[in-house]
Amino acid sequence: MSAVSLETLQNEVIRDVLNVNDVNILKKVKKLLHKEERKASSAEVPSVVSENEAPYMTKEEILANFDQACKELKLNLEGKLELKKAEDLLNEL
């Protein structure tokens, strides 16, 4: 879930809670919320992944991979490296 949609959902829930005028309902909501938070915190997988933890490649990794691809292409053009055909790569899948 993106940060924007998470924040939107939080605001909607807050508005809904603020519109409740029954103390018993609010107590039940609070109890349920704490129960679900305990479940989520005991789970191995985090429920929200921050952008810093997302499995994105860094700029350095992208540039290193691009550099390696250029070197392989140059070797292929010089006849020093034979690349696999796209059809062969697809057949491997």
Side-chain angles (χ1 to χ4, degrees):
M1 179 177 285
S2 71
V4 174
S5 60
L6 175 63
E7 187 175 321
T8 301
L9 184 57
Q10 288 171 326
N11 287 332
E12 288 175 7
V13 170
I14 290 169
R15 272 188 242 107
D16 289 343
V17 168
L18 289 174
N19 288 329
V20 174
N21 293 322
D22 187 331
V23 174
N24 291 324
I25 293 174
L26 290 172
K27 286 180 181 180
K28 288 178 183 179
V29 168
K30 183 178 177 181
K31 185 177 179 179
L32 178 64
L33 179 62
H34 289 292
K35 179 181 173 185
E36 292 300 317
E37 284 180 326
R38 282 192 300 275
K39 269 199 245 179
S41 66
S42 67
E44 294 292 325
V45 179
S47 58
V48 176
V49 177
S50 73
E51 204 168 302
N52 296 335
E53 296 173 356
Y56 295 114
M57 291 174 53
T58 64
K59 181 180 178 180
E60 291 78 21
E61 291 171 323
I62 293 170
L63 291 175
N65 288 341
F66 183 72
D67 186 52
Q68 181 63 31
C70 289
K71 287 178 184 177
E72 289 177 10
L73 179 60
K74 182 179 176 187
L75 289 173
N76 176 261
L77 293 174
E78 293 171 352
K80 298 178 182 177
L81 178 68
E82 187 175 327
L83 300 176
K84 290 184 179 181
K85 295 179 183 177
E87 185 177 327
D88 294 338
L89 290 172
L90 291 174
N91 288 335
E92 288 180 15
L93 297 175

